[in-house]
Amino acid sequence: MHKNLVIVESPAKAKTIEKFLGDDYKVLSSYGHIRDLKKKDLGIDIENNFEPQYEIPSDKKKVVSELKAEAKKAETVWLASDEDREGEAISWHLYDVLGLKPENTKRIVFHEITKNAIQNAIKNPREIDINLVNAQQARRILDRIVGFELSPVLWRKIKPSLSAGRVQSVAVRLIVERERDIRAFKSKASYRIIALFNAKDKEGETYEIRAELNKRFNTKKETLTFLDECKISTYTIEDITTRPSKKHPAPPFTTSTLQQEAARKLSFTVAQTMMIAQRLYEAGHITYMRTDSVNLSAYAINGCKETITKTMGENYVKTRQFQTHSKGAQEAHEAIRPTHMNNETISGTAQEQRLYDLIWKRTLASQMAEALLEKTTATIDVSESKEKLVASGEVIKFDGFLRVYRESYDDDQEQEDDSRILPPLSVGQNLERKLITATERFTQGPYRFTEASLVRKLEELGIGRPSTYAPTISTIQNRKYVEKGDIEGEERKYNVIELKDDKISDEIMTEIAGRERAKLIPTDVGMVVNDFLIDFFPKIMDLNFTATVEKEFDDIAEGKKEWTETLSTFYDRFHPSVEEALETQTEHRVGERILGDHPKTGKPISVKIGRYGPVVQMGSSDDEEKPRFAQMRKGMSMETLTLEEAIELFKLPRSLGDYEDKEVKIGVGRYGPYVHHNSKYASLPKKYDPLEVTLEEAIEVILAKREADAKKHIKSFDEEPDMQVLNGRYGPYIAYKKKNYRIPKDKTPEDLSLDDCLAIIKDQQENRGKGRRKKTTTTAKKKTTTKKKAKDTKKK
DNA sequence: CAGTGAGCGAGCTTCCGCTTGACTT
């Protein structure tokens, strides 16, 4: 029998550790927390000094009973959860729930999963740090109070099922405020001057040189004056300066930086990155993927050193330990790195391989020498102007870590000029003017957040933890506070003026400005909820709220403060604001905007958040005539909706008159404009304007739909009315009990018997799960690999 | 993927951080 039971948090970790410890030790996993506040109700007895009411969640009952049984059999139980606030609490809950005894329970911690580290930990056990546990309890209870008191206020005041919390509400705030900054941004135009010259070197070889004016002109007049001067100028190299510079490698990955780089380099969502990383971790390829530390173990650094020396030579090695700067970091784990650096590649899916490759290269690069660069700047005199042109170039003298890894930035296009190489030039050399272009450019407003850049911001503010970044982003999207989408951008005209030979040409060009992909955009509900929360709960919504309470939790952990005391102080200030928010009666609903009166009927028109989201209302509920409601169209927003737009919305649905004694109506629904007749709907083709379409045209649409419906029906069976063979947009299919099944290619739909259909259905039901999943991953693979190739070549 | 376009009611919704599967798309 095992003398010792070791409990860790993760089963993958348990497996590895068991190998190091030998037969006397059994290692099991708690799968994270085993106990939490009651699921229903508040789960805290506030009257009784914030006494938490814990329970074991149903999905943890099995783990707990197994752990209990094994603990009973063991002589010594080793609690080896992570050395941070949550880990300490897990140990404490285990101690309590499993009914452990102080004399045969030991608390141990280790930061790296190596035989040495673990044997060392076993030699140096300690006791559970109750202060740290209390800090966790305070954190947990505060979050529950905030979430479970704020959310019901939103249900009452705005809309059911909404939620608010310390982390998610601030995340939404960041997105809402960014959106408003963008809407308020006014871009300024200026002229950017680029000049192309021919220069000859000593051998008489001709090179092209690209130079830029060291300032921009704010007006067209100034620009034209300059170009006129250029026309009659000679160009001489006035000065050349060369200055060396260094580039340093980025630290190894944490959860947040991995999510950012995987988004930029591999186009993964944060959830995808975490899923793939989890698989790599479980397969033993990488260390733990939820970490805030940039620390590498001596083993890892040594592994890097060996690999670099072997493949590139010793001059590429420069080992270093990075410092973790991020706010609130707890550093229970190492950075995310390959378990063994000598595995340059691994087996697995294409996505797994690509993420591994990224981690391997980043880790290796972090222990490599700086890149040495030389930046050359040549100043060009323009004889008839006081302005100077500047040509700059950068040469890599020693590539160092750049040989392996280059970090990406969100605004890559800004860096275009850097890697240009200047030909050999000398002071006093004359240059031959080829082309000077003045392009009207516009200042760029702030960018919307991507999932990854939001994670970066949250981490910067110390809000959320590695294990919650991805779930938080899902939550705010599930609540419909935020949507991920593309911004189409707008056409913009800009002026291009060229000086070639002795002619100045002037041209107006168009471009698409402000196009953005996969960005987080706040919804109307998100904005209304955000404004409401800021109004009534400014402290909770303060970007520094988390950082402030974290300090309190630190004090508790250090034994400087009583945890219930901290909670009590917080609650005494927080709870009255909840009461106040509930009691405040407003004339209008939260977020409601009164747009004005309808010019003909005089009825008031307003927009507000209704039971099912934003809704436009005409007329008031205490009026004799019932108010009418309308949904906003795609692209409209509550904040910017005008009275005119709202009036348009009420022009539909409109009646066109009767056909076959039934009314024909035109409306706009979730899927666009439709014709409604005899309780049937038909989509209105794009060529018709719903406000202009005539009865005759609508009848055509109805008849076309009837014909399609007639063709749709291929076969049905008297003995089984649920079974139908139908013709759909994508060819014939079988419809059975609300589900659809495709017909194998070798079968003729018209000849199918009921038994044939049942057989097809049975076959597809069996294959469904596996078959489909496989199919989606393979297509995803193809897509991502081609993209990767494109990016890689670009980099070289 | 396979066809949509509504809303009475009664009762429910909700937090953050630890961890994985077991479920469908």
Side-chain angles (χ1 to χ4, degrees):
Chain A
M1 235 2 330
H2 304 282
K3 282 201 207 128
N4 297 280
L5 172 66
V6 181
I7 305 176
V8 295
E9 289 178 40
S10 143
K13 203 168 168 180
K15 230 169 60 190
T16 324
I17 292 172
E18 196 152 52
K19 274 187 270 170
F20 294 141
L21 284 174
D23 287 346
D24 283 346
Y25 292 83
K26 186 175 180 85
V27 186
L28 289 177
S29 154
S30 73
Y31 293 81
H33 275 295
I34 51 145
R35 199 163 65 162
D36 191 14
L37 294 176
K38 249 185 2 177
K39 222 176 127 199
K40 284 198 116 217
D41 310 321
L42 191 60
I44 304 155
D45 190 350
I46 295 197
E47 304 297 306
N48 195 3
N49 213 10
F50 298 91
E51 180 74 23
Q53 297 158 349
Y54 288 119
E55 67 179 16
I56 298 164
S58 57
D59 59 330
K60 287 288 162 64
K61 294 244 159 83
K62 218 179 122 197
V63 185
V64 170
S65 61
E66 194 194 344
L67 289 174
K68 241 184 210 166
E70 291 297 330
K72 212 172 249 171
K73 287 191 256 170
E75 272 173 31
T76 308
V77 178
W78 304 79
L79 300 173
S81 50
D82 299 342
E83 190 185 25
D84 58 12
R85 209 160 60 199
E86 298 298 326
E88 203 67 20
I90 289 173
S91 279
W92 177 74
H93 280 297
L94 281 167
Y95 181 86
D96 201 31
V97 171
L98 304 183
L100 303 179
K101 298 278 175 311
E103 57 272 20
N104 58 1
T105 303
K106 284 174 175 154
R107 168 79 172 123
I108 53 167
V109 293
F110 37 86
H111 297 106
E112 40 181 285
I113 308 185
T114 56
K115 195 167 181 174
N116 256 338
I118 288 151
Q119 284 173 342
N120 238 329
I122 297 266
K123 278 184 216 144
N124 298 292
R126 61 168 172 84
E127 281 174 13
I128 291 174
D129 179 351
I130 197 66
N131 289 330
L132 199 50
V133 173
N134 287 338
Q136 192 275 346
Q137 297 199 87
R139 198 280 304 156
R140 179 68 192 92
I141 289 171
L142 182 135
D143 280 337
R144 173 57 74 88
I145 290 173
V146 170
F148 275 35
E149 293 214 350
L150 285 189
S151 300
V153 178
L154 298 180
W155 306 341
R156 281 262 302 273
K157 292 285 178 180
I158 300 175
K159 195 166 107 78
S161 305
L162 293 176
S163 65
R166 173 176 58 83
V167 172
Q168 58 168 287
S169 297
V170 176
V172 173
R173 173 177 192 165
L174 291 168
I175 295 165
V176 169
E177 289 185 344
R178 179 63 59 85
E179 189 71 21
R180 293 201 174 121
D181 286 347
I182 290 167
R183 288 186 190 176
F185 182 80
K186 296 239 177 351
S187 76
K188 263 177 58 190
S190 62
Y191 285 84
R192 177 191 192 191
I193 314 284
I194 303 279
L196 294 180
F197 296 104
N198 277 335
K200 282 202 171 75
D201 68 1
K202 284 174 197 136
E203 280 80 43
E205 195 86 30
T206 307
Y207 288 96
E208 188 181 84
I209 298 177
R210 184 179 180 279
E212 183 172 348
L213 190 70
N214 55 6
K215 64 180 264 193
R216 291 186 181 196
F217 295 116
N218 290 325
T219 64
K220 188 166 180 175
K221 202 177 146 211
E222 285 173 276
T223 309
L224 287 170
T225 310
F226 175 71
L227 288 179
D228 279 334
E229 289 164 0
C230 285
K231 210 192 284 186
I232 50 169
S233 284
T234 54
Y235 302 88
T236 320
I237 305 258
E238 187 181 80
D239 183 39
I240 298 174
T241 57
T242 305
R243 116 188 116 74
S245 73
K246 266 187 192 176
K247 269 203 174 107
H248 300 268
F253 279 131
T254 61
T255 303
S256 126
T257 52
L258 178 67
Q259 288 171 348
Q260 290 161 42
E261 279 286 272
R264 288 187 289 239
K265 286 203 156 95
L266 311 176
S267 314
F268 291 171
T269 64
V270 300
Q272 253 179 324
T273 300
M274 292 316 282
M275 227 170 67
I276 298 161
Q278 173 93 31
R279 288 206 299 266
L280 289 173
Y281 167 67
E282 282 169 12
H285 295 317
I286 60 168
T287 55
Y288 197 57
M289 64 282 155
R290 290 188 275 262
T291 176
D292 49 25
S293 171
V294 289
N295 215 53
L296 289 181
S297 68
Y299 170 79
I301 292 179
N302 211 36
C304 289
K305 196 172 162 182
E306 269 172 30
T307 307
I308 299 163
T309 311
K310 210 167 65 197
T311 56
M312 289 170 278
E314 210 161 327
N315 55 330
Y316 277 90
V317 176
K318 180 171 181 188
T319 59
R320 49 173 91 67
Q321 196 63 261
F322 290 85
Q323 293 293 315
T324 302
H325 293 299
S326 58
K327 241 187 231 179
Q330 309 210 359
E331 305 209 64
H333 307 272
E334 270 187 78
I336 305 171
R337 61 159 175 93
T339 42
H340 304 293
M341 285 310 293
N342 48 358
N343 295 335
E344 189 173 341
T345 55
I346 49 134
S347 57
T349 66
Q351 291 188 326
E352 283 162 26
Q353 292 187 16
R354 297 178 64 204
L355 192 68
Y356 181 83
D357 184 60
L358 193 68
I359 296 168
W360 188 84
K361 284 181 173 156
R362 172 92 164 208
T363 309
L364 198 73
S366 78
Q367 300 307 318
M368 288 178 69
E370 287 92 10
L372 302 177
L373 311 167
E374 202 174 77
K375 194 161 185 175
T376 305
T377 317
T379 312
I380 300 165
D381 180 68
V382 184
S383 64
E384 304 303 319
S385 169
K386 60 181 194 311
E387 312 294 347
K388 307 279 181 202
L389 289 159
V390 175
S392 60
E394 198 176 64
V395 182
I396 297 179
K397 290 287 183 185
F398 176 63
D399 54 0
F401 76 95
L402 290 177
R403 181 155 167 186
V404 175
Y405 188 91
R406 202 180 282 256
E407 200 181 4
S408 320
Y409 298 91
D410 284 334
D411 46 356
D412 260 349
Q413 63 269 38
E414 296 295 315
Q415 326 237 321
E416 54 179 328
D417 285 346
D418 273 9
S419 47
R420 209 181 304 276
I421 298 174
L422 277 189
L425 295 167
S426 52
V427 174
Q429 187 179 354
N430 283 321
L431 302 173
E432 180 198 330
R433 164 167 66 81
K434 259 174 84 180
L435 176 71
I436 299 184
T437 315
T439 312
E440 193 181 11
R441 296 284 69 197
F442 301 86
T443 48
Q444 166 66 49
Y447 291 106
R448 289 177 177 83
F449 284 107
T450 60
E451 289 189 355
S453 67
L454 180 65
V455 168
R456 182 171 60 189
K457 186 72 190 171
L458 289 172
E459 187 192 36
E460 205 179 293
L461 294 165
I463 300 172
R465 304 276 313 131
S467 68
T468 59
Y469 296 136
T472 300
I473 282 175
S474 304
T475 302
I476 59 177
Q477 291 180 74
N478 288 340
R479 296 276 170 275
K480 302 271 153 65
Y481 290 149
V482 166
E483 274 167 0
K484 197 158 78 178
D486 300 341
I487 304 289
E488 290 305 332
E490 280 169 5
E491 223 171 64
R492 179 166 68 189
K493 297 215 183 313
Y494 67 102
N495 195 194
V496 179
I497 309 167
E498 271 184 4
L499 169 63
K500 196 176 184 184
D501 301 325
D502 281 332
K503 259 178 45 198
I504 292 182
S505 61
D506 189 331
E507 205 180 340
I508 302 290
M509 316 264 275
T510 54
E511 64 182 343
I512 304 289
R515 179 181 282 169
E516 293 185 77
R517 267 193 60 245
K519 291 304 176 81
L520 298 173
I521 307 157
T523 62
D524 290 310
V525 176
M527 291 182 146
V528 168
V529 167
N530 177 64
D531 295 353
F532 175 79
L533 290 173
I534 289 178
D535 214 12
F536 283 94
F537 308 100
K539 287 218 179 72
I540 305 289
M541 296 298 285
D542 190 316
L543 303 192
N544 289 318
F545 176 66
T546 292
T548 315
V549 290
E550 281 289 341
K551 277 199 204 91
E552 306 249 339
F553 299 150
D554 286 346
D555 286 346
I556 297 170
E558 285 164 32
K560 289 194 267 187
K561 241 180 197 160
E562 180 66 34
W563 70 282
T564 51
E565 185 92 18
T566 303
L567 282 175
S568 163
T569 314
F570 166 75
Y571 190 80
D572 288 347
R573 297 171 71 170
F574 171 70
H575 188 71
S577 62
V578 174
E579 299 281 341
E580 194 199 322
L582 283 172
E583 278 161 20
T584 305
Q585 295 291 328
T586 43
E587 197 185 335
H588 301 290
R589 283 189 60 94
V590 173
E592 181 169 357
R593 275 184 64 217
I594 313 291
L595 300 174
D597 294 339
H598 193 281
K600 288 201 185 110
T601 61
K603 286 184 186 296
I605 297 181
S606 63
V607 58
K608 62 187 176 187
I609 302 287
R611 175 83 172 69
Y612 304 96
V615 65
V616 189
Q617 178 176 347
M618 178 163 70
S620 79
S621 47
D622 39 61
D623 203 357
E624 219 174 292
E625 203 178 334
K626 271 198 177 170
R628 282 182 64 195
F629 295 93
Q631 304 291 320
M632 281 192 293
R633 303 280 157 75
K634 234 185 143 193
M636 290 182 169
S637 96
M638 266 177 77
E639 270 182 28
T640 55
L641 187 74
T642 61
L643 180 62
E644 290 68 36
E645 285 172 324
I647 290 167
E648 280 293 300
L649 293 174
F650 287 103
K651 290 187 176 161
L652 292 174
R654 60 191 262 264
S655 179
L656 295 182
D658 286 359
Y659 174 61
E660 293 175 348
D661 296 332
K662 296 268 164 53
E663 190 182 19
V664 178
K665 265 204 229 160
I666 305 292
V668 175
R670 282 200 288 159
Y671 308 95
Y674 62 87
V675 183
H676 183 75
H677 175 251
N678 194 14
S679 67
K680 277 194 177 129
Y681 293 91
S683 287
L684 190 69
K686 275 216 174 82
K687 58 178 173 173
Y688 301 115
D689 180 341
L691 290 174
E692 305 284 336
V693 72
T694 62
L695 181 60
E696 287 67 35
E697 287 165 338
I699 291 169
E700 266 175 51
V701 174
I702 294 167
L703 293 176
K705 168 86 171 161
R706 276 191 200 165
E707 198 181 335
D709 281 349
K711 273 197 202 145
K712 186 182 154 188
H713 192 260
I714 299 175
K715 211 165 182 182
S716 54
F717 304 94
D718 294 339
E719 58 272 37
E720 179 55 280
D722 282 342
M723 178 79 74
Q724 283 185 312
V725 183
L726 300 174
N727 206 354
R729 234 166 81 196
Y730 306 92
Y733 66 97
I734 298 170
Y736 181 60
K737 295 194 172 163
K738 303 263 172 199
K739 285 195 172 173
N740 302 301
Y741 305 86
R742 40 169 213 280
I743 295 170
K745 285 202 180 85
D746 54 331
K747 300 243 171 29
T748 321
E750 289 78 11
D751 299 343
L752 291 173
S753 69
L754 182 60
D755 285 344
D756 289 340
C757 291
L758 284 169
I760 290 169
I761 289 165
K762 196 170 164 233
D763 192 47
Q764 285 181 25
Q765 273 172 342
E766 276 165 13
N767 291 328
R768 192 158 261 196
K770 297 177 258 170
R772 283 187 111 159
R773 186 170 297 172
K774 250 186 193 163
K775 205 179 155 192
T776 49
T777 45
T778 43
T779 49
K781 259 188 231 169
K782 267 186 196 160
K783 213 171 148 188
T784 44
T785 32
T786 48
K787 258 194 194 162
K788 190 198 177 188
K789 267 184 198 158
K791 275 202 174 163
D792 280 353
T793 42
K794 206 169 124 191
K795 243 169 264 149
K796 283 166 195 161

